[in-house]
Amino acid sequence: MSKLFTGAEIVFKCLEDQKVEYIFGYPGGAVLPIYDELKNHKSIKHILVRHEQGAGHAAEGYARSSGKPGVLLVTSGPGATNAVTALTDAYMDSVPLVCISGQVPTHLIGTDAFQECDTTGITRPCTKHNWLVKDVNELSKVIHQAFKVATTGRPGPVLVDIPKDIQFKKGKYIFKDSKQKLNGIKNKKLNIKEIDQLIKMIKNSSKPIFYTGGGVINSGPEASKLLRELVSLTGFPITSTLQGLGAYPGDDPQFLGMLGMHGTYEANNAMHDCDLMINIGARFDDRITGKVDEFSPKSKKIHIDIDPSSVGKNIKVDLAVISDVSHLLKALIKRFKEKNKDFLSSNKQKTSKWWSQIEKWREKKSLKFKNSETIIKPQYAVQRLYELTKNKDTYITTEVGQHQMWAAQHYKFNKPNRWMTSGGLGTMGYGLPAAVGVQVANPGKLVIDIAGEASVLMTMQEMSTAAQYKLPIKIFILNNQYMGMVRQWQEILHEKNYSESYTAALPDFVKLAEAYGCVGIRATKPSELDQKINEMISVDKPVIFDCVVDKNENCFPMIPSGKPHNQMLLGEDDEEEEISEEGKILV
Amino acid sequence: MKSSKSAYSEPGKIGKIDHHIIVVWVDNEAGVLARVVGLFSGRGYNIESLAVAEVDKRKHLSRITIVTSGTPQVIEQIKLQLKKLIPVHKVADFSRNDPKILFQELALLKVVSTKKNQQKVKKMCKKYNPIILDRSKKSFVIQVTALRREIDRLIENLRPLGLVSASRTGAVAMTKGAEVFK
Ligand SMILES: Cc1ncc(C[n+]2csc(CCOP(=O)(O)OP(=O)(O)O)c2C)c(N)n1
Ligand SMILES: [Mg+2]
């Protein structure tokens, strides 16, 4: 007879066989047997967070910067509900997470027991799949399947809910690769006809554009290499979604910058006027398309995606290829090279008019801003941060708001997995705990959270985690004292009624840093910015950098909602009047 | 600009709405119905009727039949989203007007009325494979099988004749001929 193990032992045996090195968690009554077992498994390190949402975002940061699934461990009831925001965030941005939650003992389920909640019910719509394990002999199979579901096809979060009695009970441990179908085709055999049609469309186009997204990053570093090869083989322009940044070098002349609501003038106009759009691993979401009826009206559209339900959801396309990005690109490039030896030079003529049009759009310099000698402009701060960190292999996370968009616009990424931001859910409070996870996965690397002062207060407690594990993350706050993005919408769309978007009693971030045992730095003048950023980089401790910036700056360009891509606001010279201190608090 | 204060885009043009019958084969495990139904409610899809029961005891397979309506795009999304659920094995989609498909719904109808009206009711049910399951002096329970809209109509017509209670299974579907849906 095979050896029997307790449920808690089985959990760790699974994690070991899945080669898990870190779990982010927080203990409680319903997971105590698992915590008790932790000491016997030295290869697995537990990072104690300060809030379960923090565990979730840290696991996301870990996963997105390492390409491995993130694991979190939470207790029943409030532990599980606190993790829901992070699970939903991971679901929207396709991040592989495995959440293990404790549950009240099976005989108490349904009795409104202490710290009972319907965890699988609550998390059903925000996970790819979840399981409530009621038989200890099923536990190993379920946990291994959970890893498989999280990491195959379009990645995403899963949850395994384990009642406390199951953690104590003894059962068999089984580990074999399950051959069960997992509803995410990894490497479907590609149809050569589809590839040939794709190549034909590429050859027929005179106004082409690549539109790439997070799917390229999720497909692994190989996909980014292949993308670069394809773009240089064709000589076509390329734009990227927020999540796709880094898959293609941000400083390359063929790159038009990010597209979408706060994308560049050239990227959005090229998307609108192109005759061929090649979507690789993006999902035509509403921040990209604007008004769907007027979205790129004259183009043929190709959509390459691993998730069949992404195709045709928002925008009809002419050719859909369901595939992992690397897999498709490899086959496409091979076939393309065989058939078109000299494509780049022979096709130059055909796209030259298109490129000169793009150059005209570029001349608008849509990311420009009026700099100041006396006050730090937030865009300038991001630009300086980029210049002073670009030669290091820097990892950037963000919170949500104007600072996030300025980071996306002005920080140029050269590698995949260096940019972690909450795009789909737009979760304020994501960046700080995500930075914790990124630093855990990448010791010795420079990890910076470009933050807003409002967002960062939502998960500030994780500074304590950073201090405990000596994770020298840098929290670079663009402090405009406003929920800037809200203020901007109110200014433009709600007659400047700045309802509740001003934070009247902000903490002193320098003292706050010190209270956590970290380092606080403040910059208020453009002239001191470089020196203070350098100081931040050189400190081998967690830092909160309070960068006091212009309160009234707006983020442009901007496509107002419900408008097509070629009707952008560029925001030149709309100088607004000062708002009185009193007014800010009252209105 | 002034017209839109929404952070979201305006709705696009809406396509033609059609009725479809979606058949889903699933593992009969805890929570599976909640997953399917939750997908419909969460994404704003419509459920007109739903029938579910285990059809293979050994393999623990259940068959769920859902009558829904939506634009062609929405129907396509329903199928693709259902196929992503882990316990789902296969999904079939039939248009309500597909001549190759059988659709049936079973209804139990309780009628309390005079002898004369009872006779009338029986006559009106004649076309729909009626079976009297129970009778008393003043009442009877009759089982009919028919198309959804036929039962809809029948119920309307029986109300003035003493129909007091109706219980319906929701439509189930099957392909005609020797073929099975793969
Ligand atoms: C959890 C959460 N609550 C509310 C919002 C709505 N929201 C989006 S941006 C924003 C303001 C963010 O302010 P701040 O962090 O200071 O960034 P700024 O825009 O000023 O750069 C708010 C409230 C959100 N995205 N997430
Ligand atoms: Mg702010």
Side-chain angles (χ1 to χ4, degrees):
Chain A
M1 219 186 92
S2 61
K3 201 177 164 221
L4 294 182
F5 300 92
T6 67
E9 286 173 316
I10 290 173
V11 169
F12 281 98
K13 286 189 74 64
C14 290
L15 297 181
E16 283 163 355
D17 279 338
Q18 292 290 340
K19 312 218 158 30
V20 172
E21 289 176 79
Y22 292 96
I23 49 182
F24 300 88
Y26 206 93
V31 280
L32 282 182
I34 297 176
Y35 272 88
D36 196 26
E37 185 58 27
L38 182 62
K39 63 180 185 301
N40 300 326
H41 302 270
K42 290 285 177 275
S43 69
I44 294 169
K45 285 170 252 2
H46 181 270
I47 305 289
L48 176 66
V49 295
R50 300 301 186 259
H51 184 294
E52 290 85 352
Q53 182 188 356
H57 294 320
E60 285 187 90
Y62 180 88
R64 290 182 64 166
S65 64
S66 70
K68 292 183 265 187
V71 181
L72 58 151
L73 173 60
V74 300
T75 192
S76 67
T81 55
N82 272 351
V84 167
T85 299
L87 291 173
T88 311
D89 191 89
Y91 191 65
M92 295 288 271
D93 283 343
S94 310
V95 183
L97 292 191
V98 177
C99 177
I100 294 173
S101 56
Q103 181 56 279
V104 300
T106 41
H107 71 274
L108 286 180
I109 290 178
T111 66
D112 298 320
F114 177 62
Q115 295 196 325
E116 179 187 2
C117 74
D118 177 7
T119 303
T120 48
I122 290 169
T123 59
R124 203 172 283 133
C126 62
T127 53
K128 277 181 84 178
H129 196 63
N130 59 21
W131 296 260
L132 169 62
V133 182
K134 287 182 165 175
D135 175 357
V136 69
N137 289 308
E138 292 283 303
L139 185 58
S140 52
K141 197 182 93 195
V142 166
I143 295 178
H144 286 304
Q145 205 199 356
F147 274 88
K148 194 144 193 186
V149 171
T151 53
T152 51
R154 179 176 174 177
V158 297
L159 178 139
V160 182
D161 201 23
I162 313 176
K164 194 170 181 180
D165 54 329
I166 302 298
Q167 299 169 30
F168 282 122
K169 269 207 187 110
K170 288 199 163 189
K172 278 185 282 225
Y173 177 75
I174 304 159
F175 177 39
K176 54 171 193 276
D177 242 350
S178 71
K179 295 223 162 35
Q180 223 184 319
K181 123 191 145 73
L182 295 168
N183 292 3
I185 315 105
K186 179 88 189 182
N187 285 339
K188 197 184 75 151
K189 227 181 157 42
L190 287 167
N191 182 343
I192 200 79
K193 272 208 201 104
E194 277 175 355
I195 294 185
D196 283 345
Q197 197 190 340
L198 212 162
I199 292 174
K200 196 167 138 206
M201 288 167 87
I202 287 179
K203 290 209 291 205
N204 286 342
S205 163
S206 55
K207 298 198 276 179
I209 187 162
F210 285 107
Y211 149 45
T212 61
V216 182
I217 313 269
N218 272 339
S219 181
E222 176 78 3
S224 296
K225 280 203 200 105
L226 292 164
L227 176 67
R228 289 162 198 220
E229 188 177 351
L230 181 66
V231 172
S232 91
L233 271 176
T234 54
F236 290 175
I238 171 170
T239 177
S240 166
T241 66
L242 181 71
Q243 293 302 0
L245 295 175
Y248 192 85
D251 53 4
D252 185 275
Q254 273 171 266
F255 187 63
L256 308 188
M258 180 175 78
L259 80 159
M261 185 171 270
H262 293 288
T264 66
Y265 189 70
E266 53 271 30
N268 283 329
N269 273 295
M271 285 288 279
H272 186 269
D273 286 1
C274 64
D275 68 1
L276 176 67
M277 180 184 296
I278 308 167
N279 171 344
I280 307 179
R283 61 185 176 95
F284 291 114
D285 103 308
D286 59 87
R287 300 282 114 150
I288 296 301
T289 60
K291 193 172 184 182
V292 283
D293 296 336
E294 289 172 50
F295 175 69
S296 193
K298 287 164 289 198
S299 62
K300 289 247 182 286
K301 298 175 186 73
I302 298 171
H303 192 176
I304 299 160
D305 204 298
I306 199 163
D307 176 5
S309 73
S310 274
V311 173
K313 181 166 63 182
N314 303 326
I315 298 287
K316 283 213 178 76
V317 297
D318 301 276
L319 174 66
V321 185
I322 305 300
S323 169
D324 170 52
V325 170
S326 306
H327 189 57
L328 182 274
L329 288 185
K330 211 178 279 163
L332 174 63
I333 289 170
K334 185 159 169 265
R335 187 88 176 156
F336 192 82
K337 277 185 180 159
E338 277 166 19
K339 298 203 141 185
N340 307 279
K341 284 266 156 352
D342 223 7
F343 182 82
L344 191 57
S345 49
S346 64
N347 201 56
K348 231 183 197 124
Q349 192 65 28
K350 200 162 175 184
T351 54
S352 68
K353 256 174 114 179
W354 179 230
W355 270 113
S356 55
Q357 175 62 59
I358 289 172
E359 289 311 326
K360 276 203 202 101
W361 287 324
R362 267 184 172 157
E363 278 162 25
K364 276 264 186 211
K365 297 205 183 317
S366 59
L367 298 183
K368 71 171 182 277
F369 58 94
K370 236 190 233 138
N371 211 352
S372 158
E373 303 259 290
T374 51
I375 185 164
I376 302 174
K377 289 286 181 174
Q379 302 95 321
Y380 177 71
V382 176
Q383 284 183 347
R384 293 316 304 157
L385 186 69
Y386 169 63
E387 290 302 329
L388 297 171
T389 59
K390 67 177 178 188
N391 294 325
K392 299 187 162 55
D393 191 9
T394 308
Y395 291 72
I396 303 285
T397 71
T398 76
E399 308 293 335
V400 171
Q402 290 179 318
H403 62 276
Q404 176 189 30
M405 292 300 121
W406 283 317
Q409 292 173 338
H410 296 281
Y411 204 101
K412 313 273 176 237
F413 295 90
N414 274 307
K415 287 186 192 166
N417 305 100
R418 299 299 186 276
W419 165 245
M420 276 62 53
T421 193
S422 170
L425 195 63
T427 311
M428 291 169 70
Y430 168 87
L432 197 163
V436 167
V438 172
Q439 190 79 75
V440 166
N442 301 277
K445 293 288 166 69
L446 180 59
V447 180
I448 305 173
D449 171 26
I450 298 181
E453 79 297 331
S455 295
V456 81
L457 284 175
M458 288 200 174
T459 50
M460 180 53 85
Q461 75 284 348
E462 301 305 330
M463 278 315 276
S464 177
T465 309
Q468 177 175 342
Y469 296 96
K470 301 198 167 35
L471 302 167
I473 56 172
K474 316 295 184 218
I475 310 304
F476 190 78
I477 302 174
L478 296 178
N479 186 349
N480 54 11
Q481 298 173 47
Y482 273 103
M483 296 167 202
M485 193 56 98
V486 174
R487 192 201 54 74
Q488 175 167 348
W489 280 81
Q490 291 173 330
E491 178 184 327
I492 297 173
L493 297 159
H494 294 269
E495 293 82 38
K496 306 195 180 184
N497 175 15
Y498 298 121
S499 179
E500 303 295 328
S501 56
Y502 181 70
T503 312
L506 284 169
D508 178 331
F509 285 105
V510 171
K511 284 191 186 146
L512 192 56
E514 285 160 4
Y516 280 114
C518 305
V519 175
I521 300 174
R522 178 173 295 121
T524 56
K525 294 192 299 275
S527 57
E528 61 181 358
L529 192 57
D530 278 24
Q531 175 238 324
K532 295 214 159 159
I533 289 176
N534 282 327
E535 184 188 333
M536 170 184 89
I537 296 168
S538 64
V539 183
D540 191 27
K541 271 185 152 191
V543 176
I544 298 179
F545 190 116
D546 185 17
C547 187
V548 179
V549 299
D550 190 346
K551 299 192 209 2
N552 298 316
E553 193 70 18
N554 281 337
C555 181
F556 290 115
M558 170 177 178
I559 306 179
S561 286
K563 294 282 167 183
H565 272 170
N566 59 352
Q567 295 179 31
M568 308 186 74
L569 298 181
L570 291 169
E572 294 139 311
D573 313 313
D574 359 288
E575 287 308 322
E576 51 266 275
E577 67 269 31
E578 256 314 306
I579 306 157
S580 73
E581 278 305 316
E582 206 188 342
K584 278 172 209 153
I585 301 170
L586 292 177
V587 291
Chain B
M1 176 94 270
K2 280 145 258 140
S3 64
S4 167
K5 287 192 176 181
S6 162
Y8 300 88
S9 56
E10 319 253 280
K13 290 191 199 82
I14 290 173
K16 192 173 165 289
I17 292 183
D18 250 330
H19 280 80
H20 280 247
I21 289 86
I22 309 274
V23 182
V24 197
W25 285 263
V26 298
D27 290 324
N28 184 16
E29 60 185 31
V32 65
L33 191 59
R35 279 181 216 286
V36 170
V37 172
L39 189 139
F40 274 74
S41 63
R43 290 185 181 266
Y45 309 143
N46 190 17
I47 295 184
E48 285 184 13
S49 83
L50 178 136
V52 55
E54 193 170 70
V55 292
D56 189 329
K57 276 251 168 321
R58 266 189 318 137
K59 292 187 194 157
H60 296 292
L61 279 183
S62 287
R63 180 166 170 147
I64 304 176
T65 310
I66 299 168
V67 180
T68 184
S69 58
T71 61
Q73 238 178 334
V74 165
I75 300 292
E76 191 59 28
Q77 267 297 302
I78 290 177
K79 283 190 284 179
L80 292 170
Q81 295 291 352
L82 281 169
K83 283 184 193 167
K84 286 194 344 182
L85 298 180
I86 306 292
V88 167
H89 289 253
K90 55 181 179 174
V91 179
D93 158 36
F94 306 116
S95 159
R96 184 166 65 170
N97 307 316
D98 191 333
K100 294 208 278 299
I101 308 298
L102 297 166
F103 299 116
Q104 284 293 298
E105 175 166 339
L106 184 147
L108 302 183
L109 307 170
K110 179 176 284 189
V111 178
V112 182
S113 71
T114 61
K115 272 265 139 34
K116 197 168 143 216
N117 277 350
Q118 287 190 18
Q119 269 336 99
K120 265 195 197 163
V121 169
K122 283 178 199 161
K123 215 163 141 201
M124 288 167 78
C125 292
K126 209 158 205 158
K127 280 196 295 194
Y128 308 123
N129 316 305
I131 302 172
I132 308 270
L133 298 174
D134 170 67
R135 76 181 97 216
S136 73
K137 234 191 210 128
K138 283 192 290 185
S139 72
F140 64 86
V141 176
I142 188 166
Q143 168 192 313
V144 293
T145 46
L147 292 175
R148 260 181 87 63
R149 37 199 150 149
E150 290 170 336
I151 296 179
D152 285 345
R153 218 175 314 122
L154 185 65
I155 285 176
E156 274 321 296
N157 294 337
L158 294 189
R159 266 193 221 292
L161 298 175
L163 176 71
V164 292
S165 180
S167 175
R168 307 170 61 166
T169 59
V172 291
M174 191 162 277
T175 49
K176 289 183 184 171
E179 267 166 67
V180 259
F181 182 84
K182 290 259 160 55

